[in-house]
């Protein structure tokens, strides 16, 4: 199973635009403290919180410094936790097109309209995508069933 995940990471890593009808872009990050710290954030009542991550290139090498990222469940008409968002180096939330101008520039996909998707691929690697990645969904489902 791990070989499939590694192969997918190798083939699909980095910020890539595919020229297909289901074209999407995604980014890969290392979460030094472990991706498991995202579960309490995403499963909390408010679905918001901060963590540190490092952007990776397609060789899974660091492409920058460690950043403080603010994650928040956000939808059109919602209010942004501005104190936390201003303090963060980067933002990761749906509907960046509805954020205030200063916050759009901090978003990992500042040009995107709509939802984003977060995939935990290993203990310390996450993928953020502009669309659902069916292949990742299948691998994660198989991983849950076998684990």
């Amino acid at each position: 199973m791990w070989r499939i995940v590694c192969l997918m990471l190798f083939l699909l890593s980095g910020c890539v635009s595919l020229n297909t009808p289901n074209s999407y872009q995604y980014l890969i990050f290392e979460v030094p403290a472990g991706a498991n710290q995202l579960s309490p954030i995403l499963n909390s009542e408010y679905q918001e919180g901060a963590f540190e991550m490092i952007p990776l290139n397609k060789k899974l090498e660091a492409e920058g410094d460690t950043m403080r990222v603010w994650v928040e469940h956000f939808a059109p008409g919602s209010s942004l936790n501005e104190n936390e968002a201003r303090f963060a180096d980067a933002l990761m939330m749906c509907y960046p097109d509805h954020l205030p101008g200063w916050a759009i520039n901090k978003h990992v996909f500042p040009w995107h309209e709509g939802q984003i998707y977060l995939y935990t691929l290993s203990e310390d690697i996450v993928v953020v995508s502009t669309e659902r990645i069916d292949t990742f969904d299948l691998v994660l489902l198989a991983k849950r069933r076998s684990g």
Side-chain angles (χ1 to χ4, degrees), residues 74-147:
F74 185 79
S78 298
S79 60
L80 176 66
N81 184 331
E82 289 196 25
N83 290 334
E84 292 289 346
R86 285 187 190 279
F87 184 66
D89 298 313
L91 303 177
M92 195 179 293
M93 58 196 59
C94 295
Y95 302 98
D97 53 318
H98 289 268
L99 292 170
W102 63 267
I104 291 172
N105 296 327
K106 287 184 149 193
H107 198 277
V108 294
F109 296 120
W111 46 264
H112 182 65
E113 297 176 4
Q115 294 180 321
I116 64 166
Y117 299 87
L118 182 89
Y119 295 93
T120 302
L121 292 187
S122 72
E123 291 180 13
D124 62 349
I125 303 291
V126 296
V127 172
V128 183
S129 173
T130 58
E131 292 189 27
R132 278 190 93 93
I133 303 174
D134 294 334
T135 309
F136 287 170
D137 286 341
L138 289 173
V139 169
L140 293 173
L141 177 63
K143 185 177 173 182
R144 279 189 218 116
R145 286 186 174 195
S146 66

Side-chain angles (χ1 to χ4, degrees), residues 4-18 24-28 56-60 121 126-129 133-137 139:
I4 293 171
V5 172
C6 288
L7 179 61
M8 286 174 32
L9 252 113
F10 177 74
L11 295 175
L12 299 175
S13 58
C15 186
V16 180
S17 178
L18 303 175
Y24 56 87
Q25 291 192 353
Y26 60 93
L27 299 167
I28 297 178
L56 302 177
N57 64 21
K58 71 184 211 173
K59 294 179 183 178
L60 299 181
L121 292 187
V126 296
V127 172
V128 183
S129 173
I133 303 174
D134 294 334
T135 309
F136 287 170
D137 286 341
V139 169

